Amino acid sequence: MMVDQKKEDCACQEGKVPDKEGRCVMPEVTFSAFVMSLNTSVLFHLGLLEDPATGKKTVDLDLARHGIDTLTLIQQKTKGNLARDEEEMLKDILYDLKIRFVQLAKN
């Protein structure tokens, strides 16, 4: 990644960054992208998203719980250090995941 290239000079679409060859690749590493990645992982382990390789949905409550616990730890360790929108996003995601987990665990 071109670390010294300024964002305003980047020709990539919003949310992507250039690699060494200048190709627009993975999303920029931000706190929100990191949290959304963990959210996606938990949704996958709750069986709400298909495995892209197999097209199948599987449930693994232990891994889902681990992901929720990880997000909870992040929430606790970053308390007072996040922008308001980041804090709200994390709170909302955790609420949603916990509700989904409890509903699934009941069945």
Side-chain angles (χ1 to χ4, degrees):
M1 181 170 76
M2 295 181 184
V3 176
D4 54 352
Q5 183 179 18
K6 294 180 180 177
K7 271 186 157 181
E8 58 269 12
D9 296 338
C10 182
C12 295
Q13 65 186 18
E14 180 70 27
K16 297 225 175 187
V17 294
D19 64 7
K20 289 186 274 185
E21 290 79 38
R23 294 177 307 209
C24 296
V25 293
M26 298 297 288
E28 181 180 8
V29 177
T30 63
F31 182 79
S32 296
F34 175 59
V35 170
M36 291 305 295
S37 175
L38 290 171
N39 177 58
T40 300
S41 176
V42 175
L43 292 173
F44 174 79
H45 293 302
L46 289 173
L48 300 171
L49 301 175
E50 294 178 352
D51 182 325
T54 65
K56 295 181 181 177
K57 294 181 180 181
T58 56
V59 175
D60 188 328
L61 291 179
D62 290 331
L63 288 176
R65 183 188 322 263
H66 184 269
I68 292 169
D69 290 347
T70 300
L71 284 165
T72 301
L73 175 72
I74 290 167
Q75 184 182 46
Q76 293 167 350
K77 294 293 185 177
T78 59
K79 189 173 182 91
N81 292 311
L82 298 177
R84 187 174 207 189
D85 60 329
E86 293 170 330
E87 190 175 318
E88 286 297 314
M89 178 194 65
L90 184 53
K91 181 183 75 146
D92 292 345
I93 284 173
L94 270 169
Y95 176 81
D96 179 66
L97 292 175
K98 287 176 181 180
I99 292 294
R100 291 174 186 263
F101 181 90
V102 169
Q103 288 173 341
L104 190 61
K106 281 183 182 178
N107 296 334

